[in-house]
């Protein structure tokens, strides 16, 4: 299962949205929670929940089209991971961004990974993904990893170097390339480059709201030096 | 160690507080508006202000903008205005706005700069459609270390 929740650069949301569109996935489930803002997303005139799960026979994709309020992120992510456990999902792969200050100078963003179990770390090493051995993660992806580890759910977070507060379709493409290496599910990412400017323009309002919530979550702590004595 | 700085009267301080409060009120007002304006044909871009030890770095995401048309001006001592022409036709429908019609020609935003800066020494660049403006901070006073 691929998860794309709003985070830095909207990397996960853009990746999920692209996969859903390219593979023409069907809606299978949605998250109903009072912790989410009172909004619906209109699709072809019909109301849809802002957090939904789509899929086919071998892939599930979670997408959230609104910023997740900081005040409810822990309860939402805990319930989400419990649901994932109940459904016996084979591997959970949250995709996100890792903010870098010199993003403008980077032509091809690198992708880093973390795993919920030792087997997942071994898998990352086998696929030659740079493992984030130390440091902090903050936000929805961080909680998914923590709750997955607690429940022994195999999970891998793929984090692409990205802008902090600007939508980053190139980072989403880099993360999906690594996703393909790990899962064998290949998705053509050329549209993320061709339509990059259009995506950035259309995603800017969700990015702005996401940034506000990330500030409340102290997202900037990801820049902190890890404490080891 | 000697410290020298300009003396400020109580009226200066009150003035600064009023300016500060006005900017908060403005921010609150702006946040309730859409990020586009059909009357002025403008789109407000995402922008960010970073204050470091010796400079203020302002960035703005300007997709579809013409880099040659980017204008950066200091409106008053605490407000920076960024404007850029949009190089292709963008109408409401392109942005998923169905209930109104119109076109957008310009990016426009005002950014609050909370510390004094030297505009004469500003440096600008546009890369990957992102504007970066570097403004050296003005030194208010100097502490001499003996």
């Amino acid at each position: 299962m691929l998860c794309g929740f709003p985070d830095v650069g909207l990397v996960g949301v853009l990746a999920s949205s692209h996969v859903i569109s390219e593979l023409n996935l069907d809606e299978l489930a949605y998250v109903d929670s009072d912790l989410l803002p009172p909004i619906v997303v209109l699709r072809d005139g019909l109301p849809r929940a802002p957090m939904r799960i789509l899929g086919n026979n071998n892939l599930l994709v979670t997408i959230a089209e609104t910023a997740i309020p900081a005040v409810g992120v822990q309860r939402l992510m805990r319930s989400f991971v419990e649901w994932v456990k109940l459904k016996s999902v084979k591997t959970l792969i949250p995709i996100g961004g890792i903010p870098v200050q010199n993003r403008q100078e980077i032509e091809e963003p690198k992708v880093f990974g973390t795993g919920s179990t030792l087997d997942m770390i071994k898998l990352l090493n086998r696929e030659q993904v740079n493992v984030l051995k130390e440091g902090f993660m903050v936000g929805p992806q961080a909680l998914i990893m923590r709750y997955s580890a607690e429940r022994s759910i195999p999970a891998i977070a793929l984090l692409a170097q990205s802008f902090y507060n600007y939508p980053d379709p190139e980072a989403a493409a880099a993360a999906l390339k690594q996703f393909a290496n790990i899962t064998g599910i290949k998705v053509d990412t050329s549209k993320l480059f061709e339509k990059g400017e259009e995506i950035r323009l259309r995603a800017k309002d969700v990015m702005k709201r996401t940034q506000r919530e990330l500030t409340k979550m102290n997202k900037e702590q990801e820049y902190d030096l890890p404490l080891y004595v | 160690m000697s410290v020298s700085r300009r003396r400020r009267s109580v009226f200066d301080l009150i003035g600064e507080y009023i300016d500060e409060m006005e900017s908060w009120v403005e921010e609150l007002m702006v946040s309730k508006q859409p990020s586009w304006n059909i009357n002025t044909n403008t789109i407000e871009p995402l922008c960010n202000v970073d204050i470091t030890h010796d400079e203020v770095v302002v960035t703005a995401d300007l997709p579809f903008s013409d880099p040659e048309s980017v204008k950066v001006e200091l409106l008053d001592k605490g407000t920076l205005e960024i404007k850029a022409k949009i190089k292709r036709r963008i109408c409401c429908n392109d942005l998923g706005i169905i209930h109104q019609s119109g076109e957008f020609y310009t990016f426009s935003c005002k950014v609050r700069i909370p510390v004094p800066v030297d505009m004469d020494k500003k440096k600008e660049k546009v890369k990957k459609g992102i504007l970066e403006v570097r403004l050296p901070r003005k030194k208010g006073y100097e502490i001499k270390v003996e």
Side-chain angles (χ1 to χ4, degrees), chain A:
Chain A
M1 176 188 255
L2 188 163
C3 308
F5 293 112
D7 199 345
V8 290
L10 293 180
V11 177
V13 176
L14 298 179
S16 279
S17 175
H18 183 73
V19 171
I20 290 166
S21 161
E22 285 291 308
L23 301 183
N24 204 16
L25 301 179
D26 295 321
E27 185 174 329
L28 304 173
Y30 61 89
V31 176
D32 181 21
S33 171
D34 292 347
L35 296 169
L36 289 170
I39 65 166
V40 293
V41 180
L42 295 170
R43 286 271 180 266
D44 300 323
L46 294 170
R48 296 272 182 259
M51 197 186 288
R52 305 189 300 284
I53 294 146
L54 299 91
N56 58 21
N57 287 337
N58 68 336
L59 175 69
L60 293 172
V61 178
T62 307
I63 188 166
E65 292 182 76
T66 186
I68 299 175
V71 70
V73 68
Q74 289 176 326
R75 277 178 286 170
L76 272 167
M77 290 304 117
R78 198 182 291 119
S79 299
F80 172 71
V81 172
E82 276 166 11
W83 183 85
V84 164
K85 176 88 179 169
L86 205 67
K87 297 293 174 190
S88 308
V89 167
K90 197 175 156 192
T91 315
L92 196 52
I93 305 186
I95 283 182
I98 184 162
V100 285
Q101 288 169 320
N102 63 336
R103 174 66 186 91
Q104 268 169 294
E105 314 304 327
I106 296 171
E107 287 303 321
E108 199 174 332
K110 282 184 191 163
V111 179
F112 296 82
T114 66
S116 63
T117 64
L118 272 177
D119 283 345
M120 292 294 106
I121 298 289
K122 283 178 193 164
L123 176 63
L124 287 169
N125 285 327
R126 212 164 45 237
E127 295 296 334
Q128 296 180 323
V129 180
N130 303 299
V131 175
L132 279 177
K133 290 181 183 165
E134 296 168 5
F136 299 101
M137 282 176 73
V138 179
Q141 279 78 354
L143 293 171
I144 288 176
M145 294 309 289
R146 188 180 124 199
Y147 298 141
S148 295
E150 283 172 8
R151 288 158 182 77
S152 305
I153 299 170
I156 289 170
L158 292 177
L159 307 168
Q161 290 177 320
S162 74
F163 290 111
Y164 185 102
N165 46 8
Y166 299 138
D168 199 333
E170 288 179 17
L176 284 177
K177 196 174 161 189
Q178 204 57 261
F179 176 78
N181 291 342
I182 290 170
T183 62
I185 300 169
K186 288 187 171 58
V187 178
D188 179 10
T189 55
S190 55
K191 278 187 194 160
L192 285 168
F193 295 94
E194 289 160 17
K195 293 186 158 191
E197 287 186 293
E198 187 183 329
I199 292 168
R200 278 158 55 193
L201 195 58
R202 291 193 66 147
K204 72 188 189 63
D205 287 347
V206 175
M207 183 76 256
K208 197 171 183 177
R209 289 189 188 278
T210 300
Q211 194 189 342
R212 279 186 214 141
E213 297 305 326
L214 291 175
T215 304
K216 290 180 204 163
M217 293 177 206
N218 292 324
K219 182 74 181 177
E220 72 285 352
Q221 195 170 344
E222 285 189 355
Y223 287 127
D224 287 5
L225 301 174
L227 171 69
Y228 287 102
V229 287

Side-chain angles (χ1 to χ4, degrees), chain B residues 1-145:
Chain B
M1 186 171 70
S2 67
V3 178
S4 65
R5 66 175 169 185
R6 188 174 64 88
R7 271 192 182 175
R8 292 184 300 174
S9 74
V10 69
F11 297 107
D12 286 337
L13 290 170
I14 290 169
E16 281 175 20
Y17 279 125
I18 289 171
D19 286 348
E20 192 84 0
M21 285 178 74
E22 277 177 354
S23 69
W24 286 346
V25 170
E26 192 184 357
E27 275 175 23
L28 285 171
M29 296 285 284
V30 168
S31 68
K32 291 185 179 63
Q33 300 297 319
S35 65
W36 42 274
N37 188 327
I38 209 67
N39 297 319
T40 56
N41 308 103
T42 55
I43 296 175
E44 187 187 334
L46 286 174
C47 51
N48 188 57
V49 182
D50 275 329
I51 301 163
T52 70
H53 177 68
D54 50 11
E55 64 179 356
V56 175
V57 183
V58 181
T59 58
D61 191 15
L62 306 170
F64 293 125
S65 69
D66 173 8
E68 301 294 316
S69 71
V70 175
K71 278 186 188 163
V72 181
E73 269 185 282
L74 197 64
L75 295 183
D76 55 53
K77 65 177 179 179
T79 310
L80 195 76
E81 186 179 55
I82 296 168
K83 283 192 172 184
K85 280 184 188 162
I86 298 170
K87 64 186 174 195
R88 59 158 264 194
R89 182 174 170 267
I90 292 177
C91 58
C92 284
N93 212 19
D94 295 326
L95 301 180
I97 305 164
I98 308 293
H99 58 286
Q100 276 194 284
S101 58
E103 292 186 4
F104 301 101
Y105 311 125
T106 318
F107 279 114
S108 176
C109 68
K110 287 174 185 163
V111 183
R112 217 171 74 77
I113 309 291
V115 294
V117 290
D118 192 344
M119 274 301 280
D120 294 335
K121 292 182 183 166
K122 80 171 188 304
K123 285 181 187 163
E124 294 172 30
K125 71 169 179 182
V126 181
K127 194 169 181 187
K128 290 178 184 274
I130 292 176
L131 167 72
E132 181 184 272
V133 186
R134 304 188 92 92
L135 303 159
R137 287 178 68 170
K138 274 185 183 167
K139 301 282 185 276
Y141 55 88
E142 194 177 335
I143 300 172
K144 286 181 184 168
V145 180

